[in-house]
Amino acid sequence: MEAHKPCILAIESSCDDTSAAVIRDGVILSNVIASQAIHAKYGGIVPEVASRLHQENIALVVDEALQRSNVSLKELDAIACTSGPGLMGSLTVGLSFAKGMALSLGIPFIAINHMRAHVLSHFIDEPKPSFPFLCLTVSGGHTQIVLVKNFDEMEVVGTTLDDAAGEAFDKSGKILGLPYPAGPLIDKLAKEGKANISFPIPQIENLDFSFSGLKTAILYYIRDHQKEDPDFIKNNLADICASIQHTIVEILIRKITYAADLYDIKEIGIAGGVAANSGLRNRLLELSKKNDWNVYFPAMQYCTDNAGMIAMAAHYEFLAGRFSNLDTAPYVRGM
Ligand code: KG4
Ligand code: ZN
């Protein structure tokens, strides 16, 4: 084992993606992700189904990650896995598998916090942000602004009081009758429409977010207009989508701008599935010119849930000599 060039297998199973990755000396050699399309049928993630599919997929996904990396079990120096936050049953599948592997290979186990890993996804490829930076983590499950002082010290300075940003896209889409997850489809339709409907922007004084008011506003708006035109949604879908996207992006942009001013930071990273949103990307690029910000978007495979980011976080844990006990338990909440 070369302590300075650790070779680590990482597993992520906190929600509905089963993923495994191999990292050597801080370089990702493979990142395999098996997504669970079945949840679309139910209009959201069904935890029990997610756990069962993780159990079916995990051995195959780990095997594939090892094969693609060309790394043998003997070469591994540690096994890492997400221990939280996430769905209890989903986390348990990955954790048990990872601990079992570490135990049978006689190598250390490293438990990783999923939210910290999203932040550290910025260190997988170039260009990398410099410290301190602000990370806006936005996905179906999370909405956070994190003040990142170094690889270790991270402070959540803003979070959602209700729905996550991706959830706001998905729930708005559900009202419009769009399939789950609606985020990508709203993004696509928004390009053909005009943001000519004004939905309210919540006035929260600190860096916290709220998206639940938007749902209610959309519901009432649609209900009122359907009285005159039963086909109102169909006849105005692109404009409604453009307006929803504009509102969600505006909420995110106002907060990240406030945080950048408050902490006097011009290094801004974006992580999570909503980083794919073209409206958010365009606004951030505009602001990077206007405010002299450097904005960082990891490659999409490292923005959505993936084991590559868990591997990156584990790399730094390994270098710091921080390992976890085999009695590490999964947790539902917390950075
Ligand atoms: O990171 P991710 O794959 O999984 C979670 O941890 O949730 O993020 C999925 C979320 C979903 O809510 C999805 O609707 C949203 O990200 N999403 C988007 C776009 N692509 C994915 N939202 C808006 N615009 C997109 N282009
Ligand atoms: Zn995530």
Side-chain angles (χ1 to χ4, degrees):
M1 159 163 113
E2 286 185 83
H4 58 292
K5 288 188 178 179
C7 189
I8 305 168
L9 170 82
I11 293 172
E12 152 67 36
S13 71
S14 65
C15 192
D16 62 336
D17 294 307
T18 320
S19 181
V22 177
I23 191 168
R24 183 192 277 132
D25 195 20
V27 177
I28 302 285
L29 303 180
S30 63
N31 182 42
V32 177
I33 305 168
S35 298
Q36 305 178 356
I38 191 167
H39 302 286
K41 201 169 89 180
Y42 302 109
I45 293 161
V46 184
E48 194 64 27
V49 174
S51 318
R52 190 149 30 86
L53 288 177
H54 282 309
Q55 194 67 59
E56 272 179 39
N57 292 337
I58 195 153
L60 294 169
V61 168
V62 166
D63 205 39
E64 181 74 23
L66 284 167
Q67 278 189 32
R68 284 195 204 172
S69 67
N70 232 350
V71 163
S72 68
L73 289 173
K74 285 198 307 283
E75 292 173 82
L76 293 174
D77 297 311
I79 308 288
C81 185
T82 311
S83 52
L87 301 169
M88 210 57 176
S90 291
L91 288 164
T92 304
V93 176
L95 263 186
S96 307
F97 198 92
K99 288 180 190 174
M101 272 189 88
L103 192 63
S104 69
L105 295 169
I107 55 177
F109 165 67
I110 304 173
I112 296 293
N113 177 284
H114 182 90
M115 301 311 298
R116 293 175 72 92
H118 267 302
V119 170
L120 294 176
S121 67
H122 284 94
F123 294 92
I124 294 176
D125 291 323
E126 298 293 342
K128 297 168 184 168
S130 46
F131 298 117
F133 71 96
L134 289 166
C135 183
L136 175 68
T137 308
V138 273
S139 75
H142 352 285
T143 310
Q144 283 188 344
I145 296 180
V146 185
L147 172 59
V148 191
K149 294 173 191 161
N150 53 47
F151 292 117
D152 229 25
E153 282 178 86
M154 300 182 195
E155 192 188 333
V156 181
V157 293
T159 189
T160 184
L161 302 173
D162 37 60
D163 295 340
E167 211 176 354
F169 275 103
D170 299 338
K171 288 184 175 172
S172 304
K174 197 170 186 176
I175 298 172
L176 303 177
L178 301 178
Y180 173 89
L185 197 53
I186 291 181
D187 191 0
K188 186 165 166 256
L189 290 162
K191 289 185 184 134
E192 297 154 24
K194 287 197 190 70
N196 52 11
I197 309 160
S198 74
F199 294 119
I201 307 266
Q203 304 296 319
I204 300 168
E205 287 198 0
N206 58 22
L207 289 171
D208 289 338
F209 303 87
S210 171
F211 294 100
S212 65
L214 176 63
K215 250 177 348 204
T216 320
I218 297 168
L219 210 57
Y220 287 158
Y221 180 84
I222 301 283
R223 194 193 58 186
D224 291 347
H225 286 79
Q226 274 177 333
K227 283 181 193 149
E228 289 145 35
D229 175 10
D231 285 334
F232 181 76
I233 294 180
K234 201 174 101 201
N235 293 335
N236 298 276
L237 190 57
D239 288 349
I240 302 171
C241 287
S243 306
I244 290 169
Q245 176 161 307
H246 174 82
T247 310
I248 296 173
V249 169
E250 195 56 34
I251 294 172
L252 295 174
I253 289 291
R254 285 190 190 186
K255 292 295 174 175
I256 196 70
T257 306
Y258 179 25
D261 290 346
L262 189 65
Y263 295 103
D264 194 19
I265 290 176
K266 292 184 183 296
E267 297 279 297
I268 316 278
I270 315 295
V274 180
N277 186 265
S278 59
L280 180 62
R281 284 181 172 244
N282 291 341
R283 285 284 280 133
L284 283 166
L285 292 175
E286 256 170 56
L287 285 170
S288 71
K289 287 188 196 121
K290 184 171 157 236
N291 299 340
D292 210 15
W293 289 352
N294 295 314
V295 181
Y296 302 87
F297 296 97
M300 251 352 266
Q301 65 162 323
Y302 300 125
C303 273
T304 53
D305 285 350
N306 70 92
M309 68 183 193
I310 306 301
M312 198 71 237
H315 172 75
Y316 292 116
E317 289 299 291
F318 192 102
L319 294 186
R322 279 196 295 263
F323 302 104
S324 312
N325 293 328
L326 289 178
D327 63 0
T328 302
Y331 50 94
V332 174
R333 270 182 208 91
M335 169 137 196

